[in-house]
Amino acid sequence: MRRATWKDYRFSPEEHERELVAIVESLAALAAPRPGEIDRVLRRHPKNGRSFFSRSELIAGYRLLAGKYGWPPQGALVERLRLKPVRSLSGVTTVTILTKPFPCPGRCIFCPNDVRMPKSYISSEPGAQRAAHHHFDPYAQTFARLRALDAIGHPTDKVEIIVLGGTWSSYTEQYQRWFLKRAFDALNDFDPEAGVTNEEERGIDFESLRDTVDGRRGGNPYNRIVSDLARRRDPEGVISARESSGWNELRAAQASNETSGARCVGLSLETRPDHVSELEVERLRRLGATKIQIGYQSLDDQVLALNERGHDVSASRRATWLLRRAGFKVQAHWMANLYGSTPQKDVEDFERLFADVDFRPDELKLYPCSLVETAELMSHYEAGRYRPYTEGELLELLVACMAKTPRYCRLTRVIRDIPGEEIFVGSRVTNFRDLAEREMARRGIRSQDIRAREIRDHDVSAYSLRLEEVPYRTSAGEERFLQFVTGEDRIAGFLRLCLPEHEAFIAELGGSAIVREVHVYGGAVGIGEREAGRAQHGGLGRRLLERASAVARARGYPRLSVISSVGTREYYRRCGFFDGDLYQHRML
């Protein structure tokens, strides 16, 4: 019997044209729908007389019938129907993909040991389930995610690829090149109406593993189990040979993406501080990365040692300097409630993140430790040496940390979204950020971090904004955080400018001031399009670049360089930058 594919379950708008037209006309008559009004419209016009149309079905029907009925191809109505609009309200659409399970160089006692997943991830997490469904194939993960996002109304022309999965730097270079090349291939091939190709070229099915890890026993058998399965399922090395690519193949896929319909406007990889060297930084850049997620976890050497982190604070200092000097955006991971810490020590440790010029990350994931059964930390809990914080303690801690986060940093995540059933003991609340923000409002304080101030879907006139400059010191030199803000202090766009004071270890950056990031907020607007009231494509990016050029010129730098992503190269060329080997440059 033929196996059913996604095409067998495709929705056919033509079969429901009467109901869809009635729904669209009813929604168009609502100037500003109140909560529940869209559902009431759907209830009046059910699908097949029985059930609601899904948002993806409504959007598919709208797109198909728009020409016939003279509706605009996208516009406000699709925005009303869009599911989870926050996914593209930061100006780009994010696509997260996971690498395959692979031996990890770390022995952290707090880390989950789910042998069906890359280290530190849990198979019940939504993104992990999507990756496992596609056998961790990067092409299939990327293509399917783009199709799903397009179906619920999100633009897919400007995409940030976020690669998760343990320590990226520990995977073989051949696998890294292949993984990213296939992700770029998916972006280049993407067509919402097409199915995922090469579905049969899949890797090892780690879902078939029945082994489990009991953290109480210690010993961390994750690496052995994962390696043994790979050897059993691929004894001839067929899969390993296929998961390999050369630099020329990757560069060709990147070059195609410069003008493709779905462009990579940001590429994030994650690694450990002790794996960051000058050679590694240059290689990360050659792979196309623009942002590096790096696990500090703590800035206390004693806590790092107790948790068997495998590196000290000095490694985090050096890694941050190397990454910032090379122009990367630094997204740090920091953990509270680690073995050996206390709420008071955590607050003091968090303060060091921004008081010490060696750190001051651009973005931060604030992860209180969650106790899961596969982690070696279980043995310390059962021996009475470790105690998860209460929800009250966590709330006080997060309020204190969020209030101390500076204006140039973005709190990307506050608490990790681990499914409650996976947490052995401790808080299972996943919306702690909302709780903390409400508590801060009750106390009359507000988080100043970037995410709390993003303009999101508010209309804005580009010329009603004021330019604010936030200078601060780092180990690499002076940073200028240039931001356009509204009268209510909502941020519409920003630029990170590094004015280095040390010699560059990447020759191409010698003598350059460095633009490390340009980001314009508001709902994502298609490449080359303009929408009234939207910050994107209103000239803010160019204005920020001109101000950065003026600052760099006044400080005596002969050149301005930018760590551009593959999909933004065309934009920077239009702004007067020329291509180098790893960066783009403008003479001042």
Side-chain angles (χ1 to χ4, degrees), residues 137-416:
D137 178 79
Y139 186 100
Q141 288 184 72
T142 304
F143 199 106
R145 193 64 184 141
L146 288 171
R147 193 175 64 212
L149 290 164
D150 175 81
I152 57 177
H154 292 280
T156 55
D157 58 343
K158 292 183 292 185
V159 178
E160 180 183 14
I161 294 289
I162 300 174
V163 181
L164 302 179
T167 303
W168 169 266
S169 300
S170 67
Y171 288 80
T172 66
E173 186 176 282
Q174 292 88 341
Y175 175 82
Q176 294 176 12
R177 292 193 298 250
W178 170 81
F179 190 92
L180 294 178
K181 185 234 182 235
R182 295 301 289 151
F184 278 109
D185 286 344
L187 292 172
N188 297 338
D189 294 347
F190 179 63
D191 177 350
E193 296 302 313
V196 178
T197 60
N198 77 340
E199 283 190 293
E200 301 306 315
E201 293 188 343
R202 287 182 167 175
I204 298 167
D205 182 9
F206 286 87
E207 278 290 313
S208 63
L209 273 176
R210 292 291 176 263
D211 305 68
T212 58
V213 176
D214 186 342
R216 301 170 183 83
R217 297 182 178 180
N220 198 353
Y222 173 92
N223 288 354
R224 174 183 55 78
I225 294 172
V226 169
S227 298
D228 286 349
L229 177 74
R231 281 193 292 268
R232 291 198 308 270
R233 296 298 169 87
D234 187 27
E236 304 299 323
V238 175
I239 294 174
S240 299
R242 190 175 70 238
E243 294 177 344
S244 178
S245 180
W247 283 110
N248 288 339
E249 295 170 288
L250 173 60
R251 279 193 289 266
Q254 291 173 336
S256 295
N257 191 248
E258 291 182 17
T259 54
S260 76
R263 299 183 195 177
C264 179
V265 299
L267 174 59
S268 173
L269 305 173
E270 63 176 348
T271 192
R272 291 166 52 95
D274 51 328
H275 277 60
V276 177
S277 64
E278 292 184 2
L279 287 176
E280 177 66 3
V281 168
E282 186 169 344
R283 194 167 61 84
L284 291 168
R285 182 65 198 126
R286 201 167 295 282
L287 289 167
T290 54
K291 177 167 67 180
I292 303 300
Q293 298 193 45
I294 185 167
Y296 294 166
Q297 316 309 6
S298 174
L299 299 184
D300 184 317
D301 278 334
Q302 183 180 14
V303 171
L304 290 174
L306 285 171
N307 288 271
E308 298 186 37
R309 177 62 182 161
H311 67 80
D312 58 12
V313 177
S314 66
S316 297
R317 292 181 189 278
R318 174 167 170 76
T320 304
W321 182 85
L322 288 169
L323 291 169
R324 182 173 274 122
R325 186 63 186 85
F328 285 96
K329 294 173 284 294
V330 179
Q331 184 181 82
H333 296 189
W334 179 84
M335 296 183 70
N337 201 185
L338 289 174
Y339 178 45
S341 193
T342 66
Q344 181 57 39
K345 288 175 66 175
D346 284 339
V347 171
E348 294 169 359
D349 200 65
F350 188 89
E351 289 174 342
R352 283 193 287 273
L353 278 172
F354 300 105
D356 193 323
V357 296
D358 286 347
F359 301 109
R360 296 182 171 173
D362 306 304
E363 298 183 7
L364 184 66
K365 288 185 176 180
L366 202 167
Y367 285 156
C369 182
S370 295
L371 183 64
V372 296
E373 282 195 88
T374 59
E376 192 175 339
L377 186 59
M378 280 292 299
S379 61
H380 295 282
Y381 168 75
E382 297 208 324
R385 295 187 295 267
Y386 175 76
R387 178 184 67 84
Y389 296 164
T390 66
E391 289 186 2
E393 288 173 319
L394 276 177
L395 182 60
E396 286 297 320
L397 174 64
L398 293 178
V399 166
C401 292
M402 291 170 66
K404 295 176 186 295
T405 305
R407 292 170 69 78
Y408 58 79
C409 181
R410 187 178 196 267
L411 283 175
T412 309
R413 183 166 292 237
V414 175
I415 218 156
R416 184 168 166 182

Side-chain angles (χ1 to χ4, degrees), residues 428-479:
R428 293 176 171 84
V429 175
T430 57
N431 68 329
F432 245 121
R433 182 183 205 129
D434 294 336
L435 297 179
E437 286 178 342
R438 286 200 291 270
E439 179 61 21
M440 292 171 74
R442 190 185 69 81
R443 300 181 188 183
I445 54 178
R446 175 190 172 199
S447 177
Q448 295 295 305
D449 87 283
I450 293 171
R451 190 177 185 275
R453 298 186 296 116
E454 290 174 10
I455 199 163
R456 295 183 177 260
D457 58 348
H458 297 283
D459 288 345
V460 61
S461 166
Y463 294 96
S464 68
L465 301 169
R466 75 175 189 276
L467 179 61
E468 178 183 281
E469 298 189 17
V470 181
Y472 60 100
R473 303 289 304 176
T474 72
S475 56
E478 182 184 341
E479 287 279 336

Side-chain angles (χ1 to χ4, degrees), residues 120-134:
S120 85
Y121 291 89
I122 299 174
S123 56
S124 58
E125 295 177 271
Q129 290 179 336
R130 291 194 297 266
H133 174 74
H134 294 292

Side-chain angles (χ1 to χ4, degrees), residues 556-568:
Y557 291 90
R559 192 168 63 164
L560 183 66
S561 301
V562 60
I563 183 168
S564 53
S565 53
V566 169
T568 59

